[in-house]
Amino acid sequence: MTEANNVKKSAGTSSNLTKSQKEEPRIGVFVCHCGHNIAGTVDVEKVAQEAAKMPNVVKAEHYMFMCSKQGIELVKNSIKENGVNRTVVASCSKTQHGPTFAKAIEEEGLNKHLHFQANIREFCSWVTPKSKKEEATQKAIEYVRAAVNRSQKLEEIETRKLKTTKATLVIGGGIAGLRASMDIANLGIPVYLVEKQSSIGGHMTQLYKTFPTNECPQCSISPLTNGVANHPNVTLWTNSKVKSVEGSMGNFKVQVEHKPRYVHDNCTSCGECAENCPVEIPSEWDSGMSMRKAIYKLYPQAIPSTYVRDKKHCIECKTCINVCPVGAVDFSMKKAYDTIEVGSIVVAVGFDEYDPSPIEPYHYKQPGYEDVITQLQLERMMNPVSLTGSMILRPSDGKVPKRVVMIQCVGSRNDQVGYEYCTGVCCMFANKNAQMIKDLSPETEVIICYIDMRTPGLNYEEFYKKSQQIGVKFIRGRPSEIEKDPKTGKLHVYVEDTLSMQPMDLETDMVVLSAAMVPPKGIGILGSALHVLRSKEGFLKEFHIKMNPTQSSKEGIYLAGAIQGPKDITRSVAQAGSAAALAAAPLVRGYIEKEMILPTVADNCVLCGLCVTACPQSALKIEDRKVAVNEVACKACGICQPVCPVGAIQVINSREDELRDEILGLTGGSKAHV
Amino acid sequence: MGKDHEFAFYLGCIMPNRYPQIEKATRFVLEKLGYKLLDMEKAACCPAPGVLRSFDKVDWMVAAARNICIAEKLDRDILTVCNGCFGTLQEVNKHLKENEEAREQVNEHLKKLGDYEYKGTIEVKHIGEFLGADIGPTEIQKYLVRKVKGRVTVHYGCHFLKPTRTRQVDSSENPVILDDFAEAIGLVSVDFRQKLTCCGAGGGIKAAYAETSMKILGEKMKNMTAVQPDFILDVCPFCHLQFETGQDWLNKNKGTNYDLPVIHISQITAFCMGMDEQFVGLKYQMMGKDFKFTPVEVESHD
């Protein structure tokens, strides 16, 4: 790997690796009360007393809050005053405050890997009733003993600086992907923007207006679509998708597949081809609310404006080839591939609207129920270029509806069909669309059937009030059924008004379903190509729901917009900005720091290759009859260790004998060097 | 005849007490199909899925499990012609098979009642599922000696299909099993409003809130008669009772003039399989006493 040549030793940490092994361990143990969190259940004083008797422990203390400045001083002073050369803090999990103490001992000149956490909070006090203080105390002592045992053989590990590739991949050209691309490109970092549709803009460009200001989304987004398309730092690839991703934070290698467009870039977007194309099919972009040809562009302002041929529906009459004034149409175009190197990745592939067909009582898409549509279909109907020319008309007969009933939580908040989560956006877009119907067709009555009206945030509740003021009606109840009267052909919505506790039978001309936002189709394939985790609902999972909602489960891959969970445009844009900052940071800095926790291979290796196959990062290979470790790619996951039949491959500081020492501490064995 | 052509026949309460003609028809149909029905001696009330369970779920399970034990001793699956019995027996059977804790608890109680131990060795079948799916619209043709012409409003009732996850018979929101069977014996199943709602009898409503029960039935009758059926087809003696006595009540109290015959799936199927029309027993019912089926000849299968 080329990265290996770029590896430099970072200043200050290039210490003698054998130093800590030569010195006799002098261990300091610090037991934290964590207020009542630990001390309420565990006798911390006794734990400290017992710790003092453990091998090589020269200092054992307890304190109210070890993570406070005073607590950290205790740890530091023990190094200065008692010659402590390894520390064990018995408090919370190692992900919570492990780094706090590691940094503290580093400031005192110790290698940070010589610190070890004993988790007596999550593993002990929090999961033991207060009435069992004695048992909890005993358990805490065992955890501390295990940590002390483990601490004995810890080695210093160096931190190295690795050079990063200055480029970012953004997947998805909707509002989140566009915002992230723009922000990153403006920092002078080259951006590859990959979009699977033939044009960028995403769902936002499908909307008629946006809440809470009822603005035109096309007008809001076009500076971004144009800006990104013309930005010198952005390489825009539409009709393309990510096939594979290798590598890690700082240095990814990505293969991108470009589907043939069958129209070259010299297309002037004159539209002759589409005008003459004899094939006409319902437009997916318009959710069936308009027709398109087999050669088409998604919408008039589409960027890029180059037409695209739909090979599936094309009858190959070649009229388009003949009428194109610039000869741009070319049926011989083939699939193409690009391999790019980037330092970070932003995933902004958005969402799909839930297809309500599985909810049988609503009869969506069933024959005779053409007047049951979704909010996205309504948006496309209201669009100026729709079949209805922006008028609210019943799909079945083209008449202006006297009454429209909207149903909330379709596919959301439903543990039987669809998803359990609240999409959180539908209350607002239903209010917005209700207002739009009243605007376009003032005579139409609009009724919204809801479970709870959820409009948190500035200007949102006000927006709901506005709907009430202009005469939109609200019924608190989830309709049980949409039924067509077999005699009259009229639609009926059955709902209980749970405020007056009255069952209601609403005869209506149209029903609009507020369908949930769900993970986009194909996210499984993309998710596994990226090696990132997904939530049980299928969205890409954030690293931490509170503290790091923008990073994926994998370092270097960031999430923007609805792919991390349903959200509105405002929040998608905000998260995109955050993703851009995180994705750009290591590239602007130019390097990342990597701790060299690596496996070592002993001479008894039989070259069976099991570890090479098992390594999820492809960091191992056999070279010159030896297992070679790619120090950059290795994530120290340790999976190579248990698969080795002879125990030759061992990860530093997690070697089998070290783990055995730790387990012995838990099971009652106190002898560290067994 | 092997085990798979024999059932333990669970009678329930309403059928033997009010509608023996449904029992006769069921026995006729099963015999013609080559099935033997074994009597369940000492069987008691199922007990009803809505009422007793609402008061004491464990006792409800114990009483049901006792009935199931009787069939387990016979080593035969249970056949029932009633939605309520099916609701209780099928649900308790499934729950006890899947839940060890409940099984142990119920068996503790069963010991007190005598030589009973729930083992979870049998299944519970509803006549609608048996005819509509196990035999099915195609296979039944082999046994028909005539078909019946007519428009029919099919009433599924509640416990036959709901809750879907437990019953696993057909969709409870858009079922076709009975409509398909009705069409297979020559009928036209006409769609009507609120087809899948309750008849108003179950859940203790008929006994506790008679007016409400009749209000629900009134809606039902209004929606059914709007599409002018020849008769109502049901799969449950309790729905049957509600439609029968309810029409009479509505006529007397609400000024209606209903006289819509109410036919259980066993009755119409038996007639199509050759049972004499007098045994369908409409003259013993309250509605459509003089109603006559319009038979249609079918080609011989010989």
Side-chain angles (χ1 to χ4, degrees):
Chain A
M1 291 285 284
T2 49
E3 293 96 325
N5 303 329
N6 299 328
V7 166
K8 281 184 224 149
K9 285 195 174 180
S10 82
T13 54
S14 58
S15 46
N16 180 2
L17 278 179
T18 56
K19 184 182 149 217
S20 59
Q21 286 164 306
K22 278 181 200 161
E23 273 181 15
E24 182 67 14
R26 293 177 62 79
I27 301 170
V29 177
F30 305 89
V31 185
C32 181
H33 300 202
C34 198
H36 292 303
N37 277 305
I38 294 170
T41 316
V42 171
D43 181 348
V44 284
E45 202 177 328
K46 187 170 180 208
V47 176
Q49 282 167 7
E50 287 300 313
K53 301 176 198 160
M54 291 175 195
N56 296 329
V57 173
V58 297
K59 178 89 183 166
E61 285 187 83
H62 61 93
Y63 187 70
M64 181 62 89
F65 292 109
M66 285 309 305
C67 61
S68 66
K69 191 164 182 287
Q70 292 80 356
I72 291 168
E73 278 308 310
L74 283 178
V75 179
K76 286 184 164 184
N77 287 341
S78 75
I79 298 168
K80 284 183 279 204
E81 294 161 13
N82 306 87
V84 161
N85 59 13
R86 276 130 214 274
T87 50
V88 169
V89 174
S91 59
C92 48
S93 86
K94 70 172 183 185
T95 49
Q96 179 109 42
H97 273 303
T100 308
F101 303 112
K103 186 167 168 287
I105 67 165
E106 201 171 30
E107 284 166 9
E108 290 304 318
L110 286 184
N111 184 281
K112 64 181 174 185
H113 294 273
L114 299 176
H115 171 73
F116 203 80
Q117 281 287 121
N119 186 353
I120 61 167
R121 191 179 71 173
E122 285 87 333
F123 288 177
C124 183
S125 68
W126 275 359
V127 290
T128 313
K130 284 198 166 37
S131 58
K132 298 200 168 176
K133 195 158 184 171
E134 208 167 300
E135 287 93 331
T137 306
Q138 190 51 39
K139 191 175 173 189
I141 292 167
E142 280 159 16
Y143 272 119
V144 171
R145 182 178 290 123
V148 168
N149 283 6
R150 181 75 182 272
S151 173
Q152 308 281 351
K153 292 181 193 163
L154 288 180
E155 289 173 35
E156 295 180 352
I157 289 172
E158 67 166 320
T159 303
R160 281 193 210 159
K161 285 182 180 176
L162 306 174
K163 209 177 152 193
T164 52
T165 308
K166 195 173 175 182
T168 299
L169 165 71
V170 176
I171 312 172
I175 179 61
L178 290 170
R179 183 73 261 167
S181 299
M182 194 62 160
D183 291 355
I184 297 167
N186 282 345
L187 287 166
I189 297 165
V191 173
Y192 297 95
L193 175 56
V194 175
E195 165 60 50
K196 73 171 175 193
Q197 296 267 21
S198 58
S199 300
I200 53 174
H203 279 110
M204 187 168 165
T205 50
Q206 295 180 306
L207 308 180
Y208 172 56
K209 299 279 173 178
T210 51
F211 60 78
T213 47
N214 292 343
E215 267 177 84
C216 155
Q218 194 62 251
C219 315
S220 314
I221 202 174
S222 60
L224 259 187
T225 45
N226 284 312
V228 164
N230 298 317
H231 202 293
N233 286 339
V234 177
T235 306
L236 176 59
W237 283 329
T238 51
N239 236 14
S240 302
K241 58 183 178 189
V242 169
K243 291 297 280 183
S244 67
V245 179
E246 284 169 35
S248 55
M249 166 86 148
N251 298 285
F252 290 102
K253 204 182 213 179
V254 182
Q255 197 192 35
V256 180
E257 178 189 282
H258 310 291
K259 276 198 299 181
R261 206 175 180 104
Y262 302 108
V263 181
H264 289 289
D265 290 346
N266 59 338
C267 167
T268 61
S269 202
C270 68
E272 281 290 321
C273 53
E275 204 162 296
N276 289 288
C277 175
V279 181
E280 202 172 47
I281 55 164
S283 156
E284 303 88 348
W285 182 255
D286 281 342
S287 300
M289 291 290 143
S290 78
M291 304 300 280
R292 69 160 172 87
K293 298 300 186 67
I295 187 160
Y296 67 108
K297 61 178 180 178
L298 289 182
Y299 56 99
Q301 309 93 318
I303 289 175
S305 62
T306 310
Y307 274 67
V308 59
R309 167 181 168 248
D310 167 10
K311 189 169 182 248
K312 195 172 141 203
H313 291 98
C314 175
I315 54 167
E316 306 207 1
C317 66
K318 299 189 176 171
T319 308
C320 49
I321 298 180
N322 296 329
V323 299
C324 179
V326 292
V329 185
D330 176 3
F331 283 11
S332 72
M333 286 172 87
K334 295 263 179 305
K335 227 180 234 181
Y337 295 89
D338 264 305
T339 302
I340 53 172
E341 286 182 7
V342 295
S344 56
I345 298 172
V346 174
V347 190
V349 293
F351 69 98
D352 279 351
E353 187 188 42
Y354 175 73
D355 176 353
S357 331
I359 304 177
E360 291 180 302
Y362 290 172
H363 299 101
Y364 180 67
K365 281 188 187 164
Q366 294 296 311
Y369 288 87
E370 292 76 14
D371 297 332
V372 180
I373 63 171
T374 65
Q375 292 284 6
L376 201 53
Q377 284 178 292
L378 180 67
E379 298 272 6
R380 295 316 293 160
M381 183 191 279
M382 294 191 289
N383 195 273
V385 292
S386 75
L387 277 180
T388 67
S390 205
M391 283 172 60
I392 308 291
L393 301 175
R394 283 212 305 202
S396 61
D397 59 5
K399 290 199 178 126
V400 176
K402 290 192 184 68
R403 180 186 270 176
V404 175
V405 174
M406 291 184 178
I407 301 181
Q408 298 304 102
C409 309
V410 174
S412 284
R413 304 185 70 189
N414 190 335
D415 55 6
Q416 294 180 5
V417 199
Y419 296 81
E420 222 175 322
Y421 59 80
C422 166
T423 293
V425 185
C426 327
C427 284
M428 284 301 286
F429 66 58
N431 267 290
K432 186 256 296 175
N433 285 349
Q435 292 179 16
M436 290 305 106
I437 292 174
K438 293 302 266 182
D439 183 44
L440 295 167
S441 177
E443 297 306 308
T444 302
E445 183 190 18
V446 187
I447 301 174
I448 299 180
C449 299
Y450 66 99
I451 306 177
D452 299 289
M453 192 49 63
R454 294 182 169 175
T455 56
L458 266 186
N459 302 320
Y460 283 17
E461 182 72 10
E462 297 89 321
F463 192 74
Y464 167 37
K465 279 241 170 72
K466 186 185 164 193
S467 303
Q468 294 174 318
Q469 280 158 7
I470 64 169
V472 177
K473 292 178 181 159
F474 292 85
I475 295 175
R476 196 187 80 178
R478 165 181 251 157
S480 59
E481 192 175 1
I482 303 166
E483 186 185 60
K484 193 171 179 152
D485 186 328
K487 281 202 84 168
T488 63
K490 287 269 190 182
L491 288 177
H492 290 258
V493 174
Y494 298 101
V495 58
E496 182 191 346
D497 177 356
T498 55
L499 292 174
S500 64
M501 297 203 286
Q502 286 300 315
M504 300 187 79
D505 170 1
L506 306 170
E507 192 179 289
T508 183
D509 300 307
M510 248 172 91
V511 180
V512 184
L513 307 176
S514 295
M517 290 166 84
V518 300
K521 277 183 205 79
I523 187 59
I525 295 168
L526 179 64
S528 47
L530 290 163
H531 307 290
V532 293
L533 297 180
R534 294 201 287 149
S535 64
K536 75 179 186 339
E537 297 81 10
F539 294 103
L540 297 190
K541 195 157 176 53
E542 69 290 320
F543 187 80
H544 188 285
I545 193 154
K546 291 280 171 214
M547 301 314 296
N548 202 348
T550 305
Q551 191 192 301
S552 72
S553 59
K554 192 174 157 93
E555 266 189 314
I557 300 181
Y558 304 95
L559 309 175
I563 190 55
Q564 180 255 329
K567 49 178 74 68
D568 64 10
I569 295 168
T570 313
R571 292 199 295 142
S572 294
V573 169
Q575 195 185 21
S578 156
L582 290 173
L587 314 189
V588 171
R589 200 194 301 125
Y591 66 88
I592 52 165
E593 287 188 336
K594 180 171 164 53
E595 286 161 20
M596 292 291 129
I597 309 171
L598 300 167
T600 55
V601 186
D603 294 340
N604 60 336
C605 169
V606 292
L607 292 174
C608 67
L610 276 175
C611 56
V612 177
T613 328
C615 179
Q617 306 290 341
S618 311
L620 300 172
K621 59 180 166 182
I622 297 178
E623 270 177 355
D624 303 332
R625 300 191 57 75
K626 265 187 189 156
V627 173
V629 183
N630 179 335
E631 299 185 335
V632 177
C634 175
K635 287 272 152 205
C637 70
I639 213 156
C640 49
Q641 196 161 310
V643 299
C644 179
V646 294
I649 191 161
Q650 300 280 318
V651 178
I652 305 172
N653 284 354
S654 293
R655 293 189 175 91
E656 277 170 11
D657 62 318
E658 296 178 278
L659 298 175
R660 186 187 57 196
D661 290 348
E662 186 179 0
I663 293 165
L664 279 173
L666 278 177
T667 53
S670 62
K671 207 163 150 249
H673 308 280
V674 188
Chain B
M1 251 185 266
K3 188 206 160 190
D4 58 340
H5 274 68
E6 292 188 11
F7 279 115
F9 188 28
Y10 182 77
L11 304 176
C13 304
I14 297 169
M15 178 182 75
N17 286 301
R18 302 261 197 155
Y19 300 109
Q21 60 269 45
I22 297 178
E23 181 179 342
K24 181 172 177 68
T26 308
R27 291 186 183 278
F28 183 91
V29 168
L30 269 287
E31 193 195 326
K32 287 283 178 194
L33 289 170
Y35 280 76
K36 196 174 161 191
L37 294 179
L38 306 185
D39 290 330
M40 291 172 65
E41 279 183 44
K42 293 186 184 171
C45 174
C46 57
V51 184
L52 185 54
R53 174 168 47 177
S54 309
F55 291 102
D56 193 324
K57 192 173 170 186
V58 176
D59 286 351
W60 171 71
M61 288 198 295
V62 171
R66 184 185 159 281
N67 288 324
I68 297 169
C69 287
I70 295 170
E72 282 186 348
K73 281 184 196 164
L74 295 170
D75 196 20
R76 301 290 180 269
D77 290 346
I78 288 177
L79 180 75
T80 167
V81 300
C82 171
N83 283 4
C85 303
F86 184 59
T88 289
L89 299 177
Q90 192 269 353
E91 187 150 345
V92 171
N93 194 39
K94 187 168 159 63
H95 183 64
L96 293 184
K97 276 187 186 182
E98 291 167 358
N99 188 321
E100 198 181 333
E101 204 180 318
R103 195 161 62 232
E104 280 169 11
Q105 190 183 17
V106 163
N107 276 332
E108 274 307 305
H109 286 281
L110 279 175
K111 277 183 201 159
K112 299 173 208 161
L113 299 176
D115 183 22
Y116 297 105
E117 189 196 349
Y118 176 87
K119 296 194 177 75
T121 53
I122 61 149
E123 300 292 333
V124 179
K125 278 273 174 210
H126 187 286
I127 187 80
E129 185 189 8
F130 173 71
L131 290 176
D134 296 356
I135 303 294
T138 311
E139 183 72 11
I140 196 73
Q141 302 297 334
K142 293 184 192 161
Y143 300 92
L144 300 182
V145 299
R146 58 188 163 222
K147 290 189 177 183
V148 169
K149 204 177 144 190
R151 288 161 60 82
V152 60
T153 47
V154 173
H155 176 71
Y156 279 88
C158 300
H159 302 291
F160 176 38
L161 301 174
K162 296 170 189 170
T164 320
R165 273 183 208 166
T166 308
R167 298 290 180 268
Q168 298 175 355
V169 173
D170 193 359
S171 159
S172 63
E173 305 288 357
N174 196 19
V176 292
I177 181 169
L178 298 181
D179 305 271
D180 285 353
F181 188 79
E183 305 261 339
I185 56 174
L187 298 163
V188 175
S189 169
V190 284
D191 211 3
F192 59 102
R193 288 185 62 192
Q194 295 291 281
K195 179 174 172 176
L196 299 168
T197 54
C198 175
C199 66
I205 302 174
K206 194 174 172 62
Y209 304 99
E211 285 274 346
T212 307
S213 168
M214 286 300 123
K215 205 172 151 189
I216 296 171
L217 182 79
E219 274 296 305
K220 196 97 215 171
M221 289 308 300
K222 199 176 84 194
N223 290 332
M224 279 186 169
T225 49
V227 296
Q228 294 157 328
D230 295 317
F231 58 90
I232 299 168
L233 182 67
D234 63 23
V235 288
C236 169
F238 199 28
C239 301
H240 206 87
L241 178 72
Q242 172 80 340
F243 280 120
E244 279 266 297
T245 58
Q247 286 187 62
D248 185 54
W249 189 93
L250 290 169
N251 291 345
K252 284 175 183 156
N253 295 283
K254 298 287 170 190
T256 54
N257 192 23
Y258 295 132
D259 189 25
L260 208 49
V262 187
I263 316 276
H264 188 276
I265 194 169
S266 291
Q267 292 173 290
I268 186 86
T269 310
F271 177 73
C272 291
M273 291 169 83
M275 191 173 79
D276 195 289
E277 187 159 7
Q278 63 168 313
F279 297 123
V280 173
L282 279 183
K283 62 182 166 184
Y284 305 114
Q285 298 192 178
M286 294 179 82
M287 293 292 131
K289 281 182 185 296
D290 304 320
F291 181 79
K292 290 271 177 278
F293 289 126
T294 311
V296 180
E297 291 303 311
V298 293
E299 287 163 33
S300 166
H301 300 292
D302 301 331

